[in-house]
């Protein structure tokens, strides 16, 4: 907080206050004060999950729901291609991996890939676009608390990621039957992972200086991590050195967790992964709130 | 009761530029208050401090007694802002943009829809409700910004150049709406380049320059500080400019059969002026007083300040 903003008593506020040269005559021409409105008892947007929060959440969800050509169709097409090429055309020439047909082995990874990409894109794009055209001021100048704002952006973006996850599973079902061996883990990972990337997307949207920055984040950071995240191969197929290196890639734990949920196959402890990812999500979300509170990238 | 706006020693610098340099003034509840000043005087910066779009470096600002940082939610909820720049959600038809904005202020959906419809009707663009902002004409965009400011039923309406680039008819419409709101008790803070608008509408105005308030007064008071011109037409052109010893007269010029008397407070000077002239044997056939406009006073005040600055007298 800026120095000198504290320690002011509201009582000082009455009367002539323009400490400037010249005769101030405060109140000399004030219209009849009797007509001034009573200003108590306003709603101020409600609590953390109040009307204000729900309005922003609704706005954020409607934004992507109404633009399926930009939000749902692209991952659907991409994944039809993945399944057709990697699953069917190449998959027939690849032996079973971890006791599963190759198509089924890659499905969890593709679900994660689609879910995190869309979760990240939604919050980063929505915030960046609002900054670019300055209409994020509509939210910023409202009485919403910063926690409510951030939570609405994150939940909406995570929801888009989860929906895309469902779409990808749906497409998978066109090619094969999809088992769900560990429903709890599947649900937990499919909640936490999109939440984490939705939270990261908030930071991305605040950091970006132009639209290219968003592309860079997606192409040069997200995508390599995903492709080296054991989506298309099991860790066990790598040399020990690369296996160890892979453990530094957070994507490995997410893909492993979701794969455990679907297929019951694991190479890293899914419970430990879940705990670490949940903690990480909480930390990133907290950073989001702090950045909003500071107005980072949002205000002068 | 706390004033609608209280600002004390507000400071904000961008590098070497001091956008706000100790800005202080107060706006009473229910007032129609004008903020005048040349470009770069800090008007928009000040407004943005109030609504939370600019972090102040120092000083205090309160809205209805609520500190704009410590009680930011209370303060922001009471403000409706019609900004200078178009900053409207591009993804939604305008009636939904209003519903969302109302929602952010805690107004439930049904009520938000009713208010959005009312606001659009108030500014006369109800038939465009399903259009997106980008497809509105320039005048309609201005109308919409006002509707968005109104939809939350603010107690303080802040209008930053609300009639910039707007035709006469629309300006009249917008002022009609705003004056009705003010009559109903809404406090209005206005910045405008059209000084005659401020002169006509505002209870008081603050003249700002270089991030400070130079003066606060009613438009009448400010005008009375300017110099009026009294035109006295005589039946016979005088041979020479008569010497008149009257309080307030600063200068007398002769233009054919007309004397142009420059004076502070033309109305006060005129009777004495007539008496003196008739006493001296002149026959007065016409009298015209042109009062200094607020614009002239404004230009004087801000220009003098600049000159003083250059001379190192101020700051």
């Amino acid at each position: 907080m800026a120095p000198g903003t504290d320690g002011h008593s509201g009582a000082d506020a009455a009367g002539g206050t323009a400490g400037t040269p010249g005769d101030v005559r405060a109140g000399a021409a004030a219209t009849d004060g009797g007509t001034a409105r009573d200003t108590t008892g306003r709603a101020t947007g409600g609590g953390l999950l109040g009307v204000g929060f729900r309005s922003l959440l609704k706005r954020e969800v409607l934004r992507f729901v109404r633009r399926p050509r930009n939000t749902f169709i692209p991952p659907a097409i991409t994944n039809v291609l993945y399944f057709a090429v990697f699953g069917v055309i190449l998959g027939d020439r690849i032996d079973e991996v971890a006791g599963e047909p190759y198509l089924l082995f890659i499905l969890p990874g593709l679900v994660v890939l689609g879910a995190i990409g869309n979760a990240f894109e939604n919050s980063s794009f929505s915030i960046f676009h609002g900054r670019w055209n300055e209409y994020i001021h509509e939210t910023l100048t409202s009485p919403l608390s910063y926690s409510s704002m951030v939570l609405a952006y994150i939940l909406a973006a995570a929801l888009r990621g989860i929906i895309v996850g469902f779409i990808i599973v749906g497409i998978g079902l066109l090619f094969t039957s999809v088992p769900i061996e560990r429903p709890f883990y599947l649900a937990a990972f499919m909640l936490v992972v999109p939440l984490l990337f939705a939270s990261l997307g908030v930071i991305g949207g605040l950091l970006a200086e132009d639209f290219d920055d968003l592309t860079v984040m997606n192409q040069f950071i997200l995508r390599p991590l995903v492709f080296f995240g054991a989506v298309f191969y099991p860790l066990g197929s790598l040399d020990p050195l690369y296996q160890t290196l892979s453990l530094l890639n957070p994507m490995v734990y997410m893909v492993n967790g979701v794969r455990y949920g679907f297929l019951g196959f694991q190479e890293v402890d899914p419970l430990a992964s879940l705990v670490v990812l949940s903690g990480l999500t909480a930390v990133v979300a907290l950073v989001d709130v702090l950045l909003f509170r500071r107005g980072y990238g949002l205000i002068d | 009761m706390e004033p609608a706006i209280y600002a004390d020693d507000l400071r904000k610098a961008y590098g070497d530029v001091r956008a706000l340099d100790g800005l202080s003034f107060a706006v009473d509840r229910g007032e129609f208050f004008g903020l005048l000043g040349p470009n770069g005087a800090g008007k928009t910066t000040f407004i943005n401090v109030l609504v939370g779009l600019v972090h102040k470096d120092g000083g205090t600002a309160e809205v209805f007694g609520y500190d704009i940082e410590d009680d930011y939610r209370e303060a922001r909820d009471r403000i409706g802002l019609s900004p200078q720049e178009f900053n409207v959600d591009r993804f939604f038809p305008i009636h939904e943009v209003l519903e969302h904005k109302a929602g952010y202020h805690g107004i439930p959906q049904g009520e938000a829809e009713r208010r959005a419809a009312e606001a659009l009707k108030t500014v006369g663009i109800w038939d465009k409700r399903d259009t997106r902002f980008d497809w509105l004409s320039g005048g309609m965009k201005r109308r919409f910004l006002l509707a968005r400011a109104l939809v939350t039923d603010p107690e303080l309406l802040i209008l930053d150049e609300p009639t910039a680039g707007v035709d006469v008819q629309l300006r009249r419409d917008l002022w009609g709406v705003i004056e009705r709101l003010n009559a109903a008790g809404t406090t209005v803070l206005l910045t405008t380049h059209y000084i005659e608008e401020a002169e006509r509408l505002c209870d008081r105005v603050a003249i700002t320059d270089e991030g400070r308030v130079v003066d606060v007064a009613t438009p009448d008071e400010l005008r009375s500080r300017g110099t009026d011109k009294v035109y006295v037409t005589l039946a016979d052109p005088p041979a020479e400019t008569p010497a008149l010893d009257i309080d307030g007269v600063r200068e007398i010029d002769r233009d054919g059969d007309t004397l142009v008397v420059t004076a502070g407070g033309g109305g006060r000077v005129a009777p004495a002026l007539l008496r003196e002239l008739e006493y001296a044997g002149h026959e007065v056939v016409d009298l015209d007083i042109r009062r200094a406009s607020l614009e002239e006073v404004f230009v004087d005040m801000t220009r003098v300040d600049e000159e003083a600055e250059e001379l190192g007298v101020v700051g």
Side-chain angles (χ1 to χ4, degrees), chain B residues 124-304:
Chain B
I125 52 171
W126 165 244
D127 57 327
K128 297 286 176 188
R129 60 191 174 279
D130 292 322
T131 310
R132 286 192 204 170
F133 183 75
D134 285 343
W135 300 104
L136 298 179
S137 70
M140 287 180 188
K141 284 180 170 156
R142 282 282 156 216
R143 285 171 191 257
F144 178 77
L145 289 186
L146 180 58
R148 192 181 60 180
L150 299 182
V151 77
T152 55
D153 194 18
E155 283 136 46
L156 170 61
L157 184 60
I158 300 181
L159 307 162
D160 196 0
E161 300 287 348
T163 51
V166 155
D167 65 45
V168 178
Q169 183 57 45
L170 175 53
R171 270 161 77 178
R172 222 172 265 172
D173 287 359
L174 293 179
W175 289 128
V177 171
I178 293 161
E179 284 186 282
R180 278 198 299 281
L181 286 163
N182 180 242
T186 306
T187 310
V188 179
L189 178 72
L190 165 74
T191 79
T192 179
H193 275 108
Y194 301 102
I195 293 181
E196 68 277 18
E197 282 183 352
E199 193 168 355
R200 187 169 66 76
L201 295 161
C202 294
D203 300 317
R204 288 193 302 156
V205 296
I207 308 276
T208 59
D209 198 20
E210 312 213 321
R212 276 160 305 178
V213 170
V214 180
D215 207 343
V216 182
T218 68
D220 264 353
E221 285 168 341
L222 282 177
R223 266 194 327 219
S224 71
R225 290 178 211 178
T227 47
D228 300 337
K229 282 193 163 45
V230 184
Y231 295 82
V232 188
T233 309
L234 304 175
D236 304 305
E240 56 186 41
T241 308
L244 298 167
D245 182 24
I246 301 168
D247 248 12
V249 170
R250 296 186 193 164
E251 199 182 337
I252 302 173
D253 289 316
R254 191 160 45 94
D255 181 13
D257 58 357
T258 303
L259 296 177
V260 183
V261 180
T262 307
R268 281 196 311 276
V269 169
L273 186 61
L274 293 182
R275 259 198 321 275
E276 291 266 329
L277 284 171
E278 285 184 2
Y279 185 73
H282 298 287
E283 190 189 342
V284 175
V285 294
D286 196 14
L287 174 80
D288 190 13
I289 301 174
R290 297 218 184 123
R291 300 212 60 194
S293 71
L294 187 56
E295 183 158 345
E296 283 161 358
V297 176
F298 166 78
V299 169
D300 276 351
M301 291 179 84
T302 49
R303 192 182 53 210
V304 165

Side-chain angles (χ1 to χ4, degrees), chain B residues 61-114:
Chain B
E62 292 175 358
V63 174
F64 296 103
Y66 295 103
D67 186 276
I68 53 114
E69 285 184 350
D70 296 342
D71 315 312
Y72 70 94
R73 300 182 62 188
E74 295 286 354
R76 284 175 205 172
D77 197 30
R78 285 165 172 76
I79 301 175
L81 169 63
S82 168
Q84 210 174 123
E85 309 290 338
F86 297 138
N87 59 351
V88 177
D89 195 337
R90 314 292 175 95
F91 280 104
F92 293 90
I94 55 174
H95 78 92
E96 283 189 69
V97 174
L98 294 184
E99 287 160 22
H100 294 156
K101 180 63 177 162
Y104 304 158
H105 284 247
I107 298 162
Q109 178 65 25
E111 171 73 5
E113 285 172 18
R114 195 189 62 71

Side-chain angles (χ1 to χ4, degrees), chain B residues 8-27:
Chain B
D8 183 35
D9 197 28
L10 283 181
R11 293 177 187 280
K12 175 68 186 179
Y14 299 98
D16 291 339
V17 180
R18 290 191 211 154
L20 298 179
D21 192 13
L23 185 101
S24 307
F25 69 103
V27 176

Side-chain angles (χ1 to χ4, degrees), chain A residues 127-202:
Chain A
I127 287 173
F128 177 72
H129 193 262
R131 288 171 58 214
W132 187 260
N133 293 301
E134 297 193 331
Y135 63 77
I136 201 165
H137 293 175
E138 289 179 353
T139 334
L140 293 175
T141 61
S142 75
L144 280 169
S145 74
Y146 296 113
S147 311
S148 292
M149 285 184 212
V150 166
L151 198 60
Y153 284 116
I154 291 177
L155 288 184
L159 179 65
R160 174 169 154 196
I162 291 166
I163 293 172
V164 167
F166 273 105
I167 290 174
I168 296 170
V169 173
I171 291 166
L173 285 169
L174 301 176
F175 292 86
T176 178
S177 63
V178 180
I180 297 178
E181 297 291 340
R182 300 283 189 278
F184 165 76
Y185 275 101
L186 181 60
F189 273 97
M190 281 312 291
L191 265 179
V192 170
V193 170
L195 282 172
L196 173 58
F197 277 83
S199 310
L200 289 169
V202 170

Side-chain angles (χ1 to χ4, degrees), chain A:
Chain A
M1 184 175 295
T5 55
D6 292 321
H8 163 74
S9 149
D12 301 350
T17 48
T20 47
D23 179 10
V24 167
R25 297 172 215 197
T31 52
D32 40 345
T35 62
R37 295 164 33 168
D38 180 22
T39 67
T40 50
R42 294 186 67 105
T44 67
L48 180 64
L49 304 178
V51 173
F53 160 79
R54 293 201 297 275
S55 298
L56 182 56
L57 180 65
K58 181 179 153 198
R59 187 262 165 201
E60 285 296 297
V61 171
L62 285 178
R63 192 196 68 80
F64 69 74
V65 166
R66 292 216 190 132
R67 301 169 65 82
R69 276 197 313 168
N70 301 74
T71 53
F72 296 134
I73 308 290
I77 292 175
T78 310
N79 280 279
V80 168
L81 297 176
Y82 274 133
F83 282 122
V85 174
F86 292 108
V88 180
I89 302 173
L90 286 176
D92 284 351
R93 297 158 197 233
I94 298 174
D95 288 339
E96 287 195 343
V97 179
E100 304 286 353
Y102 186 62
L103 190 151
L104 206 51
F105 178 81
I106 63 171
L107 180 135
L110 294 178
V111 169
V112 172
L113 177 61
I116 64 175
N118 277 271
F120 183 88
E121 195 203 288
N122 200 76
S123 48
S124 61
F125 176 83
S126 187
I127 287 173
F128 177 72
H129 193 262
R131 288 171 58 214
W132 187 260
N133 293 301
E134 297 193 331
Y135 63 77
I136 201 165
H137 293 175
E138 289 179 353
T139 334
L140 293 175
T141 61
S142 75
L144 280 169
S145 74
Y146 296 113
S147 311
S148 292
M149 285 184 212
V150 166
L151 198 60
Y153 284 116
I154 291 177
L155 288 184
L159 179 65
R160 174 169 154 196
I162 291 166
I163 293 172
V164 167
F166 273 105
I167 290 174
I168 296 170
V169 173
I171 291 166
L173 285 169
L174 301 176
F175 292 86
T176 178
S177 63
V178 180
I180 297 178
E181 297 291 340
R182 300 283 189 278
F184 165 76
Y185 275 101
L186 181 60
F189 273 97
M190 281 312 291
L191 265 179
V192 170
V193 170
L195 282 172
L196 173 58
F197 277 83
S199 310
L200 289 169
V202 170
I203 297 179
L206 292 176
L207 288 177
E209 296 288 335
D210 58 45
F211 281 98
D212 290 340
D213 290 346
L214 293 182
T215 315
V216 166
M217 290 179 209
N218 198 3
Q219 298 285 342
F220 296 110
I221 302 173
L222 224 51
R223 199 150 292 182
L225 285 176
V226 166
F227 272 77
F228 289 116
V231 172
F232 297 104
Y233 52 83
L235 282 182
S237 67
L238 298 176
D239 290 341
L241 171 65
Y242 290 112
Q243 277 192 41
T244 311
L245 277 179
S246 292
L247 292 177
L248 296 174
N249 180 354
M251 219 62 67
V252 166
Y253 302 90
M254 302 176 206
V255 173
N256 178 77
V258 173
R259 186 175 284 139
Y260 181 67
F262 277 115
L263 309 177
F265 172 79
Q266 53 159 328
E267 292 177 291
V268 228
D269 179 12
L271 184 60
S273 309
L274 189 60
V275 170
V276 172
L277 289 172
S278 303
L280 193 58
T281 305
V283 170
V284 177
L286 192 66
V287 171
D288 292 347
V289 174
L290 293 177
L291 289 175
F292 258 75
R293 187 163 290 160
R294 277 191 50 186
Y296 185 91
L298 294 169
I299 70 173
D300 292 331

